[in-house]
Amino acid sequence: MQNKGLVKLFAVLFGLVSIYQLSFSFKNNAIEKNAEELAASKFSESDADYKEKRKAFEVNYLDSLSSSNESVFLGEDYAKVKDNAMKLGLDLKGGLEAILQVSVRDILKGLANDSKDPVFNKALDDADELQKNSQDDYIESFFTAFDAIKGDKQLASPDIFGTRSLVEAGTIKIGMSDADVKSALSKKVDESIASALQVLRTRIDQFGVASPNIQRLGSSGRILVELPGVKDVERAKALITGTAELEFWFGYKAQDLGQYFNDLNNALKAKQETASADADAENATQEEGEDSADDIIGDLTGEEDETTVAVNPFYDLVAVGTTGYYSGVGLVKLSDQKKVEEILNSKEAIALRPAAAKNVKFVFEKPKKDSEVTTLHVLEGNRDNEPPLHGSIDDAREGYDQANRVVVNMQMDAAGSKTWEEMTERAYKEGSNIAIVLDNIVYSAPGISRGKIAGGRSEISGDFTINEAIDLSNVLRAGKLPARATIIQSDEVGPTLGQEAIDSGTMSFVIALALVLLWMMFYYGKAGLFADIAMALNILLIFGILSGLGAVLTLPGIAGIVLTIGMSVDANVLIFERIREELGKGKDLKSAVQDGFSNALSSILDANITTGLTALILFLFGTGPIKGFATTLLVGIATSLFTAIFITRLLVDWYVNKGGKLDFSTGITKNLFRNIDIAFLKKRKMAYIISGILIVGSLASLFTNGLDQGVDFAGGRTYQVRFDQPVSSSEISATLSDPEVFGSADAKTFGDDNQLKITTKYRIDEASEEADNEIRQTLYNALQPHLNGMSYADFISNEEGKTAGIMKKYKVSPTIADDIKQESFWAVLGSLIVVFLYILIRFKRWQFSLGAVAAVFHDVLIVLGVFSITYKFMPFSLEIDQAFIAAILTVIGYSLNDTVVVFDRIREFFNEHTGWSFDTVIDKSLSSTLSRTLNTSLTTLVVLLAIFIFGGESIRGFMFALIVGVIVGTYSSLFIATPIMYDSVKRGDATEALKNKSKEEELEDEAKA
């Protein structure tokens, strides 16, 4: 091998750089461990709220280290150490991953100044409907809907987008064509979404999450937010979804609405009495002359029927006059809040309002901590529903008032200060109050007792914790979002599951590595030891490069590294098998080593390029953990090539040059798979029959039994719930499927029999946080008999060390589920097209591409069929989700890896053995590569089984798909790919083409020389 000195230099440099990068991870872990120990020493478990106090101390301690410039390691401060440390993903560290949909509808309404034009609003409603079955961006659907109904109406009309603000800004001109307006609107919407991205980034940066990832997804208004390690998920979600629409409203005197509330109560009462009378009349004919069993029980017990009319339908829900606020209507139970909103916003209630109160707003106050009630306020509204003052904040800081309560102090800008002075002066004179409303929630409603307030200073109080005040200050400083941001897909993982994933991932990694190292030494003797050394360097380089790139390590990422270990063996196996062949031809050891490495290079490159192409497509189309898997696979392929081709060669050459003897085998394996001569082509018809039966069976099951589609593809919500004792999945399914609960739900045992994976499509079209909270509350209520008295707060918490309750939550809206389906389809199809073209270019015959792609289709169909047939009785989840698509693409890469090695040998034998018949060339090629095929497949299977058994429940289905894929892929490379190529080619043409290809390569080599 030439340039050995350069290879040694690069190996040493790469190794040292990798050790340097990884050293930051070890130091960062040591610093965080020290922070935990200091916190534990300061607050004992006997202290009240010791967990919160410890966590707060840890955060403050690490924040102080980050803000100081003190050197803590190798001349770097802690901020730099933390930034250079290996970043752990959501599934290893816990936290939140969410995809937000910024409402383009809201942006368009804002640009149109909330136009009441019927054509405009009808187009928005129609666009909502189009979006349910369209992959277009919302704005394109709006344009389509508008064009369909516009008539003579133009987008630049003063009633729509020809507003004063857009005209004065030069964005729109009256009379502008619709095409020009569409272009301008698209630009404004894009700017708004970019603004939302920046606002979110500012908020999250101030939140203090380690290694957050915020990025825009395409042009659809979607934003990906990844917050690994965040402990308070609910706090994080409130931070990223709140629009921060700060408003100041005059309070309306609630006492003036006393008669209105009486009229409303009486109207509701009369309506219920009428409905009850109609129901009684309908039932009278069925029950005439006899008392029902329920009536008799009621007479004996004194209990009334559940349908009895409420005494006071409104006053039973609202305790009127109990607040002490000028604008306070009364106290309302949190559980009744939605009912009260529906009553007050109903057409009947609005019609009963007195003329002076036609435009009032009813808004609820932020409930106090641990309270079960909140206050209903009535605010002075107007026809346009615009507050006298909104936004206008220059600065906001958390602080304390004179009573030592946590508050948020605000400083308004010049315009806001003037309006605030006018508002406070009026409120003082009238003896009224001003409600400070954020995102339609009253935070405080202070009275003004000392006259007007000049200078624009104000404060928000509201029974805050210090963290809530910090978050509110950060949100107000960052500014409001230009539109609502709704979480349409989220993955929430508790820190307990994260630690369990680290433990299981580490165990599977160590076991798989040990098995591979021992196998290589058992099969190839001393040469296997050299391969093991190269593999150890390979692992060091993988982790070092991932750390240097700032890549996020996920559980599938660890699986990708372990799989890379199994697949990296393939390059060494190819080389060693070729050296054994050269030795079998009678060559001396040095010549055999040189020729073995040279002859194996083409197959190694082809096999790794095809696998790399599928991994690249997975990286481009995947998100989150799946992208982590693709990243580690791509890095692993590159480092495996370097260590196998150069480092193993360096070690083998060193040993041979100093007189060492290498047999590339042991006494047991010396003659294993030697001198094999199998007539594979004669068995191809039987293989076609077997494969045909498997494919027909798979298709039949797919059409009749279907697949267990996860929420990634079907939409819905999934909860991983752990109990203190074993539970029956069928019993829980029946409970949750009750019409009074979810109507339809599926509960499956997930791992141990005290853990369930619960999936439901209940309220699938509602992505709001309110809906999420109500569904979790319903889930908690239904599961209470099995929770041993656990509180709701503990049930949903994300605390470390949690042993029961919700451990993980996952939500996907139907819209994004459709997008995931489409992206998955294109990912698989794209990988097939890319591989077809690569093989076509590499082998110059479409028949080779046909054979390879046919084998891949064969493998994918059978893997799908196995999942379809077995998902109902397997003791682990076989859901079809994004991880499964990653497995399919990996299977495609692996299957092609095997096939390409065989095709390379066929091409080589055509050149070497010109007198052989076409049949003989095929059979000899398959026989000569059988040792490599079986060796690599068995090694990879051992690795996959280690991950399958020890790697944790969350990736068991993923590993099962890979195991089935490797088995089927090995079979298809021998009995499907090559035979189909053989049957589809004209023998003479194939021979001539391959000979010409070989001659071209020889001429290219001579020209380079």
Side-chain angles (χ1 to χ4, degrees):
M1 182 177 69
Q2 297 177 347
N3 300 319
K4 289 184 181 179
L6 193 61
V7 172
K8 290 178 183 178
L9 177 64
F10 274 116
V12 171
L13 288 177
F14 287 158
L16 289 175
V17 170
S18 295
I19 292 170
Y20 172 77
Q21 281 295 150
L22 291 173
S23 64
F24 288 104
S25 298
F26 290 110
K27 184 61 181 178
N28 183 60
N29 291 340
I31 292 173
E32 290 182 352
K33 184 70 175 175
N34 183 52
E36 288 180 17
E37 291 171 354
L38 283 173
S41 67
K42 279 192 167 291
F43 304 100
S44 68
E45 294 186 6
S46 60
D47 293 347
D49 300 326
Y50 76 93
K51 288 184 179 179
E52 288 78 6
K53 290 177 180 177
R54 285 182 179 180
K55 184 53 61 181
F57 177 84
E58 286 177 39
V59 171
N60 291 332
Y61 175 78
L62 294 175
D63 282 348
S64 65
L65 271 182
S66 294
S67 58
S68 71
N69 295 320
E70 179 186 350
S71 173
V72 296
F73 184 66
L74 298 178
E76 303 287 2
D77 58 24
Y78 175 63
K80 188 70 174 177
V81 170
K82 185 178 179 181
D83 188 54
N84 285 339
M86 176 72 75
K87 297 169 179 61
L88 299 181
L90 187 73
D91 49 1
L92 294 179
K93 202 172 182 179
L96 169 69
E97 177 189 292
I99 294 179
L100 302 175
Q101 176 69 64
V102 178
S103 175
V104 178
R105 177 189 175 110
D106 284 2
I107 295 173
L108 291 173
K109 290 191 73 169
L111 291 172
N113 203 17
D114 202 17
S115 169
K116 302 298 188 291
D117 183 86
V119 175
F120 170 72
N121 285 284
K122 178 69 165 57
L124 289 174
D125 293 338
D126 291 349
D128 291 341
E129 290 300 315
L130 288 173
Q131 280 287 289
K132 294 179 180 179
N133 299 301
S134 173
Q135 301 300 320
D136 292 337
D137 293 344
Y138 185 92
I139 194 167
E140 294 300 328
S141 294
F142 168 74
F143 292 153
T144 300
F146 183 82
D147 288 342
I149 62 172
K150 67 178 183 180
D152 296 331
K153 182 73 69 175
Q154 287 189 312
L155 289 170
S157 164
D159 295 335
I160 307 180
F161 293 113
T163 62
R164 177 184 296 178
S165 58
L166 290 179
V167 171
E168 289 178 353
T171 305
I172 302 294
K173 296 178 182 178
I174 301 298
M176 182 184 276
S177 69
D178 280 356
D180 290 338
V181 174
K182 289 177 182 178
S183 176
L185 289 177
S186 296
K187 185 177 179 181
K188 292 294 291 183
V189 167
D190 187 71
E191 289 173 356
S192 296
I193 295 167
S195 171
L197 180 68
Q198 187 56 47
V199 168
L200 287 172
R201 184 170 280 120
T202 303
R203 291 184 186 181
I204 291 166
D205 286 344
Q206 294 173 344
F207 188 58
V209 180
S211 309
N213 176 34
I214 308 102
Q215 64 185 64
R216 185 173 174 182
L217 302 177
S219 59
S220 62
R222 290 176 183 166
I223 297 173
L224 171 67
V225 176
E226 293 175 323
L227 305 175
V230 63
K231 298 295 187 295
D232 194 339
V233 172
E234 296 308 312
R235 178 184 168 197
K237 287 197 293 185
L239 184 77
I240 62 177
T241 56
T243 58
E245 183 69 53
L246 183 65
E247 301 173 337
F248 299 84
W249 295 83
F250 287 110
Y252 191 94
K253 192 173 183 178
Q255 292 180 0
D256 290 350
L257 294 178
Q259 185 59 47
Y260 165 66
F261 294 135
N262 283 332
D263 294 344
L264 178 60
N265 184 71
N266 292 332
L268 292 170
K269 188 175 180 180
K271 186 177 180 179
Q272 289 191 3
E273 287 173 347
T274 301
S276 178
D278 291 343
D280 289 343
E282 184 178 338
N283 293 331
T285 56
Q286 300 174 6
E287 300 177 1
E288 188 176 350
E290 58 176 309
D291 286 336
S292 68
D294 287 343
D295 291 335
I296 296 170
I297 292 171
D299 291 340
L300 292 172
T301 62
E303 294 180 357
E304 294 185 357
D305 191 296
E306 290 181 357
T307 59
T308 301
V309 176
V311 176
N312 291 297
F314 182 74
Y315 290 133
D316 287 347
L317 298 174
V318 183
V320 172
T322 56
T323 69
Y325 283 110
Y326 176 88
S327 61
V329 175
L331 295 176
V332 178
K333 289 181 180 179
L334 295 178
S335 57
D336 292 334
Q337 184 173 329
K338 190 172 182 180
K339 294 179 186 175
V340 174
E341 285 178 345
E342 289 174 350
I343 289 173
L344 291 172
N345 292 324
S346 66
K347 291 180 180 178
E348 296 89 340
I350 293 172
L352 287 171
R353 289 181 188 175
K358 281 294 182 185
N359 295 313
V360 295
K361 284 170 60 73
F362 291 99
V363 186
F364 286 96
E365 187 173 301
K366 179 180 180 292
K368 292 179 170 55
K369 187 178 181 181
D370 299 326
S371 174
E372 294 183 355
V373 297
T374 185
T375 299
L376 174 66
H377 286 266
V378 56
L379 309 180
E380 184 181 299
N382 52 61
R383 184 179 297 176
D384 296 326
N385 196 30
E386 283 290 321
L389 176 63
H390 59 81
S392 303
I393 300 301
D394 264 354
D395 192 21
R397 301 285 169 184
E398 68 279 2
Y400 296 88
D401 63 9
Q402 293 179 348
N404 205 34
R405 294 174 301 184
V406 179
V407 296
V408 174
N409 296 308
M410 297 180 296
Q411 176 62 53
M412 299 180 183
D413 59 22
S417 297
K418 186 174 185 301
T419 306
W420 178 243
E421 186 174 337
E422 294 170 354
M423 289 184 70
T424 52
E425 183 177 19
R426 175 187 152 184
Y428 170 70
K429 290 178 178 178
E430 295 179 353
S432 63
N433 66 338
I434 297 175
I436 302 175
V437 181
L438 181 69
D439 293 341
N440 210 36
I441 297 172
V442 174
Y443 273 71
S444 58
I448 309 300
S449 58
R450 298 181 182 178
K452 65 182 179 181
I453 301 174
R457 297 198 64 82
S458 60
E459 73 177 29
I460 306 177
S461 58
D463 193 36
F464 296 121
T465 65
I466 188 64
N467 280 338
E468 288 173 334
I470 290 170
D471 290 347
L472 181 53
S473 301
N474 289 340
V475 164
L476 292 175
R477 283 198 303 272
K480 72 168 190 171
L481 287 172
R484 285 178 300 115
T486 306
I487 296 177
I488 56 174
Q489 179 181 341
S490 65
D491 194 1
E492 303 169 31
V493 182
T496 301
L497 279 187
Q499 187 57 51
E500 289 175 1
I502 290 174
D503 295 340
S504 60
T506 303
M507 182 183 293
S508 68
F509 176 79
V510 171
I511 291 172
L513 180 60
L515 290 172
V516 170
L517 295 177
L518 289 173
W519 175 258
M520 290 300 288
M521 290 179 63
F522 164 76
Y523 201 91
Y524 293 108
K526 290 179 183 177
L529 177 61
F530 295 145
D532 289 348
I533 295 172
M535 199 180 304
L537 177 61
N538 181 26
I539 294 167
L540 175 65
L541 293 178
I542 289 173
F543 281 106
I545 291 172
L546 289 175
S547 181
L549 291 174
V552 177
L553 185 65
T554 62
L555 188 56
I558 292 177
I561 293 172
V562 178
L563 183 60
T564 299
I565 293 170
M567 295 178 70
S568 70
V569 171
D570 182 49
N572 284 303
V573 168
L574 277 168
I575 292 166
F576 292 168
E577 289 299 319
R578 292 308 297 257
I579 293 173
R580 289 174 70 181
E581 288 179 19
E582 300 302 325
L583 289 172
K585 295 176 182 178
K587 293 183 180 181
D588 62 86
L589 185 56
K590 283 187 178 181
S591 299
V593 168
Q594 183 174 343
D595 292 344
F597 273 93
S598 299
N599 293 334
L601 184 60
S602 175
S603 295
I604 292 171
L605 290 175
D606 282 338
N608 281 276
I609 288 172
T610 51
T611 305
L613 287 172
T614 55
L616 181 62
I617 289 170
L618 190 58
F619 177 83
L620 295 174
F621 284 90
T623 58
I626 305 307
K627 182 165 281 191
F629 173 78
T631 302
T632 54
L633 202 56
L634 285 167
V635 172
I637 288 170
T639 56
S640 296
L641 283 171
F642 173 74
T643 54
I645 294 172
F646 296 109
I647 304 304
T648 305
R649 176 71 181 274
L650 200 66
L651 294 170
V652 169
D653 281 353
W654 165 78
Y655 189 76
V656 171
N657 289 336
K658 79 182 191 74
K661 187 177 184 302
L662 287 176
D663 294 326
F664 293 91
S665 63
T666 61
I668 299 174
T669 61
K670 185 174 183 179
N671 295 313
L672 201 59
F673 302 119
R674 297 287 92 190
N675 302 317
I676 295 174
D677 189 9
I678 300 174
F680 284 95
L681 290 178
K682 289 184 178 178
K683 298 175 173 56
R684 72 183 189 283
K685 291 182 180 178
M686 179 57 69
Y688 288 164
I689 292 172
I690 294 171
S691 293
I693 292 171
L694 291 174
I695 289 172
V696 169
S698 296
L699 289 173
S701 181
L702 287 169
F703 281 114
T704 56
N705 204 27
L707 292 163
D708 184 16
Q709 291 192 47
V711 294
D712 278 348
F713 291 152
R717 293 173 174 86
T718 291
Y719 302 89
Q720 188 173 325
V721 183
R722 191 173 291 175
F723 301 85
D724 291 325
Q725 71 287 326
V727 290
S728 167
S729 59
S730 57
E731 180 185 341
I732 299 295
S733 288
T735 300
L736 297 177
S737 296
D738 188 283
E740 296 298 319
V741 186
F742 292 145
S744 174
D746 183 34
K748 301 173 187 173
T749 301
F750 194 72
D752 296 332
D753 55 7
N754 69 326
Q755 186 166 258
L756 297 178
K757 189 174 185 179
I758 298 170
T759 303
T760 179
K761 293 184 180 180
Y762 177 64
R763 295 174 69 174
I764 188 174
D765 292 319
E766 298 180 51
S768 67
E769 279 302 297
E770 291 78 8
D772 289 345
N773 293 333
E774 289 173 19
I775 290 169
R776 276 185 298 174
Q777 182 71 58
T778 303
L779 178 66
Y780 169 75
N781 294 339
L783 295 179
Q784 266 195 330
H786 307 277
L787 295 176
N788 296 335
M790 179 187 295
S791 69
Y792 177 69
D794 289 338
F795 180 69
I796 66 171
S797 75
N798 256 23
E799 289 186 0
E800 289 187 55
K802 182 177 178 179
T803 57
I806 295 178
M807 310 300 287
K808 178 178 180 180
K809 302 185 284 290
Y810 188 48
K811 175 181 77 173
V812 179
S813 71
T815 302
I816 204 164
D818 290 339
D819 290 350
I820 291 172
K821 277 183 186 178
Q822 188 181 55
E823 288 174 0
S824 299
F825 170 78
W826 286 114
V828 174
L829 183 61
S831 65
L832 292 175
I833 293 172
V834 167
V835 167
F836 181 93
L837 293 174
Y838 177 79
I839 294 177
L840 181 63
I841 293 168
R842 194 76 177 89
F843 293 94
K844 300 293 179 72
R845 298 290 296 181
W846 63 266
Q847 288 88 348
F848 283 92
S849 294
L850 177 64
V853 173
V856 166
F857 269 110
H858 166 275
D859 299 344
V860 170
L861 277 175
I862 291 178
V863 171
L864 287 170
V866 169
F867 267 61
S868 175
I869 293 167
T870 61
Y871 79 83
K872 289 187 177 178
F873 59 82
M874 278 292 186
F876 49 87
S877 175
L878 291 181
E879 284 187 354
I880 306 301
D881 52 17
Q882 292 185 82
F884 177 79
I885 299 302
I888 289 294
L889 288 170
T890 307
V891 167
I892 290 172
Y894 187 87
S895 176
L896 290 166
N897 189 315
D898 268 354
T899 303
V900 166
V901 169
V902 175
F903 285 176
D904 263 319
R905 185 57 63 92
I906 291 171
R907 186 174 58 185
E908 179 187 336
F909 276 13
F910 263 115
N911 187 43
E912 288 185 1
H913 306 284
T914 55
W916 285 1
S917 66
F918 191 45
D919 304 52
T920 304
V921 169
I922 299 295
D923 286 336
K924 292 288 185 182
S925 298
L926 288 167
S927 296
S928 65
T929 56
L930 186 62
S931 175
R932 172 264 163 201
T933 299
L934 295 179
N935 203 342
T936 300
S937 296
L938 288 172
T939 307
T940 305
L941 278 174
V942 166
V943 170
L944 293 176
L945 284 169
I947 310 173
F948 177 78
I949 295 169
F950 302 105
E953 188 65 31
S954 62
I955 60 170
R956 197 152 283 157
F958 176 63
M959 286 297 113
F960 181 71
L962 290 179
I963 289 169
V964 174
V966 167
I967 294 171
V968 177
T970 302
Y971 161 80
S972 69
S973 66
L974 295 171
F975 295 102
I976 301 299
T978 307
I980 285 180
M981 181 275 290
Y982 170 83
D983 286 331
S984 63
V985 77
K986 292 179 180 179
R987 301 182 189 184
D989 290 346
T991 306
E992 194 61 34
L994 288 167
K995 285 180 179 177
N996 290 338
K997 172 64 179 171
S998 299
K999 288 177 182 177
E1000 288 172 12
E1001 291 176 346
E1002 288 175 5
L1003 290 172
E1004 287 175 6
D1005 293 339
E1006 289 174 4
K1008 288 178 183 178

